[in-house]
Amino acid sequence: MPLVLAAALLVGAPISSAGAQPSAADADPSAPGSFAVGYTDLTVSASGRSFGARVWYPSTSAGADTPVAPGAHPGLAFGHGFFQDISKYQSLLRHYASWGFVSVAPKSQGGLFPSHSGFADDLAASLTWLTAQNGTPGSRFAGAVDVARLGVSGHSMGGGAALLASARSTAVKTVSTLAAAETSPSAVAAAGALGIPAQFVGGSADSIAGVAGHQQKMYDAKPAPTQLRVITGGFHCGFVDTSGFGCDSGSIDRATQQRLVRGVTTAYLLYTLAGDRTWHEQVWGPAAQNLPGVVYSAKP
């Protein structure tokens, strides 16, 4: 379908002033980006919240506690699924870092009785913390975060919490969710109040937070601009690196699903958060609409 860019979408410079990424014409967003990936484990304290987190970031060399790559990079807070450790999302968050995103993954709300509202506050606090670190001399992230380009993402419960955080924080400029699940308070209601771009990615074989009962309702409630990308044969636990007790399965393998997830979400984040307009065709245009293995719906 023809799509018109919504005025609410961000405009601006490429992903960072240094370490420029290839444009969409030259690159596959499901393949690793050009940055080495660093990570650090720390305690986030901001907005009255305090919790452990791991941060993945573009680096000058790969490994733990390595220097951040020069330039100002977009920031992302990522919420894990119910009873899931953040290590289950390592491949995806490392991938985002290779494309220039600084991703904070809170370790909070990991028990049997998580607070969805509290998790949303933790995601928002992660962005507040990144902003503060950017302006703190001596911080690893001093001058390394583009504080005008902050977004949220998450899987399952974390996807629902990302929508709640987006409705609460004006710092959030875009949201991308994976098999987002309805929460309490309602993520569907939160989606209906958002004016920023939102992406909902689901799997057609998801038996835990199925598209019809969760992401479709969020997409229907969300005003433009928004898109729903359904991976044919994709399953709920196909979004994580390993399956555990109670997981489902689909008609495609995990590697295929994760390749498709990396591609559609990385292109979306590069376009809506990093402000790189060369990715338009892979987000809203024919390349997105006709991507094999992914059913596309959009409201421009």
Side-chain angles (χ1 to χ4, degrees):
M1 70 184 79
L3 293 168
V4 179
L5 286 178
L9 290 179
L10 301 174
V11 294
I15 193 162
S16 68
S17 57
Q21 296 286 349
S23 72
D26 306 312
D28 173 6
S30 69
S34 63
F35 289 103
V37 175
Y39 69 90
T40 188
D41 293 302
L42 42 73
T43 298
V44 169
S45 294
S47 306
R49 315 290 296 181
S50 185
F51 47 86
R54 173 167 285 191
V55 184
W56 283 269
Y57 54 88
S59 178
T60 57
S61 59
D65 301 320
T66 54
V68 182
H73 309 283
L76 191 69
F78 184 90
H80 61 77
F82 173 70
F83 218 59
Q84 296 295 323
D85 188 87
I86 62 169
S87 63
K88 295 288 189 76
Y89 305 95
Q90 177 170 282
S91 65
L92 181 64
L93 298 181
R94 287 180 59 85
H95 181 79
Y96 290 160
S98 79
W99 280 92
F101 296 94
V102 178
S103 298
V104 183
K107 299 178 182 179
S108 59
Q109 307 301 330
L112 286 173
F113 304 102
S115 166
H116 300 156
S117 183
F119 203 18
D121 288 341
D122 291 345
L123 293 174
S126 296
L127 300 182
T128 301
W129 177 83
L130 265 183
T131 299
Q133 291 298 302
N134 181 71
T136 301
S139 165
R140 181 183 309 279
F141 300 101
V145 182
D146 187 340
V147 298
R149 300 183 184 277
L150 301 175
V152 288
S153 182
H155 171 238
S156 193
M157 173 186 77
L163 292 167
L164 297 178
S166 299
R168 297 176 183 180
S169 173
T170 57
V172 178
K173 304 306 180 186
T174 195
V175 55
S176 172
T177 65
L178 311 176
E182 175 63 317
T183 53
S184 178
S186 173
V188 173
L194 294 181
I196 61 172
Q199 179 187 58
F200 304 97
V201 181
S204 68
D206 189 331
S207 61
I208 297 173
V211 173
H214 296 268
Q215 301 96 57
Q216 185 71 53
K217 291 181 178 179
M218 297 167 187
Y219 170 77
D220 289 343
K222 172 69 174 71
T226 184
Q227 61 176 232
L228 174 64
R229 311 291 291 272
V230 179
I231 298 172
T232 303
F235 55 111
H236 194 78
C237 291
F239 292 101
V240 298
D241 290 344
T242 58
S243 293
F245 178 76
C247 269
D248 59 350
S249 60
S251 60
I252 59 174
D253 59 47
R254 189 186 310 276
T256 299
Q257 178 166 337
Q258 293 195 341
R259 176 180 57 79
L260 291 170
V261 170
R262 290 194 304 269
V264 299
T265 60
T266 301
Y268 173 84
L269 291 170
L270 287 167
Y271 183 80
T272 64
L273 190 56
D276 186 344
R277 294 337 220 193
T278 66
W279 292 93
H280 175 266
E281 289 301 296
Q282 294 205 44
V283 178
W284 300 106
Q289 297 166 32
N290 299 307
L291 179 65
V294 182
V295 178
Y296 175 92
S297 303
K299 292 182 277 188

